[in-house]
C-alpha cells in the first residue's frame, strides 16, 4: 500500500485537479449528490465516489435483495474471535464485495465502546475494552484497505448509546475520554492509517462532533497525524461555518446539506476562507486518488496487488463458529460435559429435539445500518437437518415465539413495487423481497421523485399455517392495505413529533387487521402508499413496509409441545433470541430480559431431565437466570448467513467453539456498574470515569457478573506451564512476555492466551488518581494437538502503564513493579511475572 500521500504521484495529481476547480465546484464536491455518493467532475478526471454501509456486508446503494450481499457475523461476534488476522480477512472479503458493487468507501467499522449493556447498537460495536476494540478494528481496516477500498472508522467519538443521539451532549472527563473512548480510534489511526473517519451525531463536552475543532483538528489530525477525510454521519452536519472550521470535510447525504451552495456563499462573504475550503477538498481528492477514481493518480493498491478471490460463504461460516462462546458445558445432574454431541456414534446420541422459533427463523443480523440482504440464510433447523446422520431421530418444536409484533412480510410472500404518477401512469416497477420499500434518493429505473405519486406493494401470499393472519404497516403517508379483497386500513400515517428522522425505517409496527387464511392457498395482497412529502424533509425518500404475523397459537400449547419433544429425546437444543424491536439502531434497550416466554421455555425443557443445550441468539448481553439449570449455554451472537451450518459444526464437534467474551455479561441489569443511557436535560454525564466493563466490576465487593470478560470454554483443556518477562527489545513496549501452554485434553484445540497488566498494590496513579486494578495488555492465539505444547510471545505496551494526566494534558508513565498475568479470562489468571517500570 502507498502509505504517504506523495507516493505514486498522488499529491501532484491532487494539486493539479484542485487548481482546475472553481469555488462553486469545490463547495459542491463536499456535499453528497444523493444518499450514497459524491458528484463527479469529468473536467478533472474525477468520477463519482460511492459509499455504502458495511459493518457485516456491503449493501451497496440499493436497499434491496435484488443485489444480494454476503452477511458476515455481527461485530460483537468478530470481536469474540479475539483474532485481528481473521478480522483482516473479513475486511478483504468486504473489499471484494465493495468492488463488485461499485463501492469505494465502507461506512465502518464501529469502534464505540460497550459502556452500558443497554446500548441499542451494542451488537455493531466490538467490545467494552479499548485495546481489544483497537486490535480488531485495526485488522478490519487493514483488510478492507488491502483491497483498495476505503473505510470510515465511526462514530467519532462517544456515540455509545442511541437515546437522543442527535442532540445529546456527552460530558466526559479528559482522562476517560483519552484512556477509553478515543483509544480505539488512536490505535487504528496509528496502526492501520484509515482513509476516513465518520463524525458522530452526539456532542462531547459542549460541542457537537461534526464541529468539534479540538478533537477533529487538534487531536485527530495534529496530534495523531490522521491524513484522511472526515465525513458526517447521515444528517449530522448542522452548521456550514462551524463544520468546516471544525474539520468536517464532507456533509452527507445530499442533495440538501449545509455545504454546497451554502459553503460557497460562506467563502464569498468571508465567514470561511477559500484556503480552508481547499484543505477539505484536498483531503477528498486524496481519498479519490487512493480508491482509484481520480485520473492521473495511481490508486493506493494496484489491482495486481489486491488479495485473491475469497469464498464468502466459507469465511462467513468460519467466523461464526470461531465466534461462538461456550459459556457453560457441564450437566446440571453432574454427568459431565454434554458438548460436543456424538450424534449417531456407537453409544452416542440417537435422538435430538430442536426447540425455539429462532431455530426455524434465525436472526442473523442486527437492525438499522447493519442490514444487508444475503441470497440465503442457513437456519439452525436447516443446518442440523443437513448435518445429522439419518439414524438420529430429529424433532422440532416452536416452544415459544420471542415476539408478538408484526414483522416485514417475508416467508410465503411474492411481491413487487409498482410506481405510479398522479394521473395513474406506471412509471416503473421493482421486485420487492421482504415487503419493505426503503428508497432514499434511489428509485427504480424510469422513476423520478418529483413525478412519483403512489407506490403499491402488490403480489400474493401463500400461508404455511391456517388461521387468523395479522397484517399491518410501518411508514409514513396515505396508506391503503388490502388482503384477499378485504380492506384492512385506509388512512394517513403521520410522523411523530420530534422523533428520529429514520423513524420510517425503525419505527413501531402498527397492526391494521386480521384475515382468516388457509395453509397453502395463495391470496392477493396490496399496500398502496400515497407518498408523504414533508416540507422540512432533507431527503427524497419513500419508506414504508407491509407487515405480517402468522396466527397466534396458544402459548401454553406451544410450551407443552416443546416439553413433549424434549422428553422424547436424549438431548434438547433450545434456541432463544432477541428481536429487531429489542436490539437495533435508533433506540436503546430498557431491560436485558429475553422477550416473550423464552425464559419459561428453557426452564420447562430443562425440568424434563433431558440434558438441555441453550443457544443464545443475541448480539449483546441478556439475563439468563436459568443458566445453572441447563447442561450447556452457547452464545451464537448474530451469526450471519451461515448460522445453522456453523452451529451444526460446533454442536456436533466437527469444529470447536472458538469465542471468548469481548464484554462482561451481568447476572442482572441492576448489577451492571454502568447502565445509564438516558440524558437529563440533553446531557449524559459519564460520571463513572475510567471504570466501565471489567474495570468497574473488579472494584465491587460481593457482586460478580454471570460471565467475566474473556471467558469462553472449548472442547479440550489447557495447562499454563511457564511465563517469563523480557524487558525492552520491542519499540513502544515495556518488554515481552513469553507464555507456554499445554493441551491436556484428548483433542486438538485453540486457546486464546490473555495478558493483563496489574498495577502495583495500593497504587493510585502517583497523584491520588485511582487506576483500574488491571487492564488487558495483549493476547495471542495458539493451536496444539493432545499433549502438545505451544509458546507465544506478547509485547506489553507502554500505554498499559500510563495514565492521561489532565493537568499536563499528556500521557504520563507511572513507575513501579507491575504484574503481568496470563490466563483464560480477566478472572481466570493462571501465571504471573513481575514487570518493573
Amino acid at each position: 500500500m502507498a502509505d504517504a500521500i506523495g507516493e505514486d504521484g498522488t499529491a501532484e495529481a491532487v494539486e493539479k485537479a484542485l487548481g482546475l476547480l472553481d469555488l462553486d465546484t469545490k463547495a459542491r464536491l463536499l456535499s453528497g449528490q444523493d444518499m450514497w455518493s459524491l458528484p463527479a467532475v469529468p473536467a478533472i478526471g474525477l468520477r463519482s465516489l460511492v459509499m455504502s454501509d458495511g459493518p457485516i456486508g456491503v449493501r451497496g446503494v440499493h436497499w434491496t435483495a435484488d443485489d444480494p450481499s454476503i452477511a458476515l457475523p455481527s461485530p460483537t461476534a468478530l470481536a469474540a474471535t479475539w483474532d485481528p488476522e481473521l478480522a483482516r480477512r473479513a475486511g478483504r472479503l468486504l473489499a471484494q464485495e465493495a468492488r463488485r458493487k461499485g463501492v469505494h468507501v465502507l461506512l465502518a467499522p464501529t469502534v464505540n465502546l460497550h459502556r452500558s449493556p443497554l446500548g441499542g447498537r451494542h451488537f455493531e460495536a466490538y467490545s467494552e475494552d479499548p485495546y481489544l476494540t483497537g486490535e480488531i478494528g485495526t485488522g478490519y481496516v487493514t483488510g478492507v484497505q488491502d483491497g483498495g477500498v476505503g473505510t470510515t472508522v465511526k462514530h467519532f467519538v462517544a456515540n455509545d448509546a442511541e437515546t437522543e443521539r442527535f442532540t445529546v451532549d456527552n460530558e466526559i472527563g479528559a482522562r476517560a475520554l483519552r484512556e477509553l473512548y478515543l483509544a480505539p480510534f488512536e490505535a487504528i489511526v496509528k496502526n492501520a492509517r484509515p482513509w476516513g473517519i465518520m463524525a458522530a451525531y452526539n456532542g462531547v463536552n459542549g460541542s457537537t462532533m461534526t464541529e468539534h475543532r479540538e478533537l477533529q483538528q487538534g487531536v485527530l489530525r495534529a496530534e495523531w497525524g490522521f491524513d484522511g477525510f472526515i465525513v458526517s454521519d447521515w444528517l449530522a452536519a448542522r452548521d456550514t461555518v462551524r463544520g468546516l472550521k471544525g474539520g468536517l470535510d464532507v456533509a452527507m447525504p445530499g442533495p440538501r446539506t449545509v455545504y454546497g451552495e451554502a459553503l460557497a456563499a460562506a467563502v464569498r462573504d468571508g465567514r470561511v476562507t477559500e484556503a480552508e475550503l481547499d484543505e477539505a477538498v484536498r483531503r477528498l481528492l486524496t481519498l479519490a486518488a487512493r480508491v482509484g477514481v481520480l485520473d492521473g493518480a495511481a490508486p493506493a493498491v494496484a489491482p495486481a496487488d489486491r488479495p485473491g478471490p475469497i469464498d464468502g460463504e466459507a469465511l462467513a461460516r468460519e467466523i461464526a463458529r470461531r465466534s461462538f462462546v461456550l459459556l457453560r458445558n457441564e450437566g446440571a445432574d453432574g454427568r459431565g460435559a454434554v458438548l460436543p454431541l456424538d450424534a449417531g456414534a456407537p453409544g452416542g446420541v440417537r435422538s435430538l429435539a430442536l426447540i425455539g422459533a429462532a431455530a426455524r427463523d434465525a436472526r442473523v443480523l442486527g437492525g438499522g445500518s447493519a442490514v444487508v440482504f444475503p441470497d440465503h440464510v442457513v437456519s439452525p433447523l436447516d443446518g442440523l437437518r443437513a448435518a445429522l446422520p439419518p439414524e438420529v431421530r430429529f424433532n422440532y418444536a416452536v416452544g415459544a415465539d420471542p415476539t408478538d409484533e408484526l414483522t416485514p412480510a417475508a416467508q410465503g410472500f411474492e411481491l413487487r413495487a409498482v410506481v405510479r404518477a398522479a394521473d395513474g401512469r406506471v412509471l416503473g416497477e421493482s421486485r420487492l423481497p421482504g415487503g419493505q420499500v426503503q428508497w432514499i434518493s434511489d428509485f427504480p429505473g424510469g422513476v423520478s421523485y418529483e413525478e412519483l405519486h403512489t407506490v403499491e406493494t402488490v403480489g400474493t401470499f401463500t400461508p404455511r399455517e391456517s388461521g387468523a393472519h395479522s397484517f399491518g404497516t410501518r411508514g409514513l403517508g396515505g396508506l391503503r392495505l388490502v388482503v384477499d379483497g378485504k380492506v384492512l386500513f385506509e388512512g394517513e400515517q403521520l410522523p411523530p413529533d420530534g422523533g428520529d428522522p429514520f423513524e420510517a425505517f425503525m419505527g413501531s409496527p402498527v397492526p391494521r387487521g386480521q384475515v382468516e387464511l388457509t395453509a397453502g392457498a395463495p391470496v392477493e395482497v396490496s399496500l398502496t402508499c400515497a407518498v408523504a412529502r414533508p416540507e422540512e424533509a432533507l431527503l427524497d425518500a419513500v419508506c414504508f413496509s407491509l407487515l405480517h404475523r402468522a396466527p397466534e397459537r396458544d402459548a401454553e400449547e406451544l410450551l407443552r409441545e416443546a416439553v413433549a419433544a424434549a422428553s422424547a429425546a436424549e438431548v434438547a437444543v433450545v434456541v432463544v433470541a432477541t428481536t429487531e424491536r429489542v436490539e437495533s439502531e435508533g433506540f436503546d434497550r430498557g431491560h436485558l430480559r429475553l422477550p416473550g416466554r423464552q425464559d419459561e421455555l428453557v426452564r420447562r425443557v430443562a425440568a424434563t431431565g433431558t440434558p438441555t443445550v441453550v443457544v443464545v441468539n443475541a448480539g449483546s448481553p441478556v439475563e439468563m437466570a436459568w443458566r445453572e439449570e441447563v447442561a450447556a449455554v452457547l452464545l451464537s451472537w448474530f451469526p450471519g448467513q451461515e448460522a445453522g451450518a456453523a452451529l451444526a459444526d460446533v454442536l456436533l464437534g466437527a469444529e470447536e467453539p472458538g469465542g471468548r467474551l469481548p464484554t462482561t455479561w451481568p447476572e442482572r441489569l441492576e448489577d451492571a456498574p454502568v447502565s445509564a443511557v438516558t440524558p437529563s436535560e440533553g446531557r449524559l454525564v459519564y460520571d463513572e470515569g475510567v471504570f466501565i466493563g471489567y474495570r468497574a466490576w473488579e472494584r465491587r465487593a460481593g457482586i460478580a457478573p454471570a460471565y467475566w470478560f474473556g471467558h469462553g470454554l472449548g472442547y479440550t483443556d489447557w495447562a499454563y506451564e511457564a511465563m517469563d518477562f523480557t524487558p525492552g527489545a520491542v519499540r513502544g513496549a515495556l518488554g515481552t512476555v513469553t507464555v507456554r501452554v499445554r493441551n491436556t485434553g484428548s483433542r486438538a484445540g485453540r486457546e486464546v492466551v490473555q495478558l493483563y497488566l496489574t498495577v502495583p498494590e495500593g497504587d493510585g496513579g502517583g497523584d491520588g488518581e485511582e487506576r483500574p486494578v488491571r487492564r488487558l495488555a495483549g493476547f495471542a492465539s495458539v493451536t496444539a494437538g493432545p499433549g502438545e505444547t505451544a509458546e507465544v510471545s506478547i509485547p506489553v505496551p507502554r500505554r498499559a502503564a500510563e495514565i492521561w494526566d489532565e493537568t499536563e494534558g499528556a500521557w504520563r508513565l507511572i513507575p513501579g513493579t507491575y504484574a503481568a498475568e496470563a490466563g483464560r479470562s480477566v478472572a481466570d489468571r493462571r501465571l504471573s511475572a513481575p514487570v518493573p517500570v
Side-chain angles (χ1 to χ4, degrees), residues 757-766 771-774 815-819 821:
L757 193 66
T758 302
V759 300
E761 188 173 349
D763 177 83
R771 283 199 286 174
V773 173
R774 60 182 51 82
T817 301
Y818 293 72
E821 300 175 323

Side-chain angles (χ1 to χ4, degrees), residues 36 50-53 57-63 67 69 101 103:
W36 301 113
V50 179
M51 298 175 248
S52 170
D53 285 322
V58 183
R59 189 172 59 247
V61 300
H62 306 293
W63 196 284
D67 183 13
S69 308
K101 293 193 173 203
V103 168

Side-chain angles (χ1 to χ4, degrees), residues 485-499:
K486 180 181 179 181
V487 178
L488 298 184
F489 176 74
E490 189 164 11
E492 189 174 14
Q493 182 70 39
L494 300 174
D497 293 333

Side-chain angles (χ1 to χ4, degrees), residues 82-101:
W82 288 58
D83 191 338
E85 188 56 36
L86 187 59
R88 184 172 187 173
R89 290 170 56 204
R92 288 177 166 182
L93 169 66
L94 295 179
Q96 174 180 293
E97 285 277 281
R99 293 195 307 272
R100 180 177 66 81
K101 293 193 173 203

Side-chain angles (χ1 to χ4, degrees), residues 706-737:
Y707 299 104
W708 284 94
F709 175 82
H711 173 70
L713 307 174
Y715 288 159
T716 189
D717 296 312
W718 295 87
Y720 281 61
E721 295 188 336
M723 177 177 179
D724 296 298
F725 173 73
T726 303
V730 179
R731 183 180 178 185
L734 300 172
T736 302
V737 166

